[in-house]
Amino acid sequence: ERLASAVAAGFANPLASRTAAAIAARELPEGGAARLARASVFVTTAERLAGEERRHGGGSSLLRLQWLRLVVDEGHLISAGSLTFAKQFLHRVYAERRWILSGTPARETAASQGARQLGALLGFLKHPLAATFNASLARPFARGVPGSADSLATALRACMVRHLKKDTPLPAPERRTVTLRCSSEEKLAYNTIVAYVRANLVLTAMEGLERGAGWESSLLHPANAASARRALNNVRETCNGGGEQVALLAAGLYDETVLLLQERYRASDAAVGRAESFMRDACAGRASPCDCCGVLARLHLLLPLCAHVVCAEC
C-alpha cells in the first residue's frame, strides 16, 4: 500500500497528446527502412519484435532508423521475468525518447520487489535517475526509512504522468446489432464441421447396434466431453473466417470400401465409380453436393448398395 501511494503521488497531471497516421503491420512493409522513415507512427507487436530478434538481430530494418519516440504498451513486462527476444530487441532500438505505458508499473505486493521493478523500468528508459535509484530511493523505502516514501514520490513525479478515467471523458457507446452473412468459404467450412458432428451422432446411435458398439465413440458420451467442446468451438470458429478441412483416408481403407461395395453389396459399376469419385474429392479437399438436398460439404455419408452421397440430415 505504501508503494502504491508513492507511485500514485509520483504521477503528474495528464498531458495533451496528438495522434498521427499509423502503419499497423504484422510483417514489415515493402521498402524496408526507407518506407518506415516516411511513417509518422509504426505499430507492431511483441511477437513481431521477437521474430525480428531471432531472424535478424542487429540487422533488422527497425534498427536502421533513429526513432523520435519509442512507446511500449504494457511496459511493466519489461521488468518482469527473464530476458526474452522481444525485450532484447527493445533494448537495441535507438530512440531519442522512450515511453512506457502501464496501469501497474509496480505489480509486486512486496515493497522491495515493486521498487526494484520501478528501477528496471527507469533503466530501460535510460533515465538519469536509474543510476542511483536503488541505493538512494528503493532500498531506504523498502527498509521503511522515515521520509523515504515522500522522496520516492518526489523523484517519480518528475518522470511519470497519470491518466485517470475522470480526466478523459468519452461519449457514451452506441450499440447496435448487425447480422453478417457468411461468405462462401465460411458456409462450406460450417457445413463440413456440422456434417462431421451429425454423422458421428447418426452412426453411433443407429438401431440394431449393441450399446457398446458405437456409443463409446459418440460425442454425447461423457468420456468424449472434451472432443464435443472442441467440435462446438470449431463450428463457432468457421463462422469467423472459415477454414479448410481435408479428409485423410488410408489407401487400405479406400480399397476396403471399394471391395465391400463390389463383393458384399453387389453395387453396380456406376455406384462404385460414384464412391471412388467422392473419396478422391474428399481427400483433395474438394466439396461434394448431397445427392438428396444439394448442400455442399467436404464430408458426407456414403450409402451402401447405391453408393449415393448424402448429408447426415437427409
Side-chain angles (χ1 to χ4, degrees), residues 203-216:
L203 295 176
T204 57
M206 295 181 67
E207 292 185 6
L209 287 177
E210 295 181 8
R211 182 62 173 173
W215 172 239
E216 292 181 354

Side-chain angles (χ1 to χ4, degrees), residues 15-22 40-41 68-69 71 97 99 163:
L15 296 178
S17 61
R18 297 170 55 198
T19 58
S40 298
V41 176
L68 173 63
R69 183 180 294 110
V71 183
R97 307 162 194 172
W99 287 18
H163 292 267

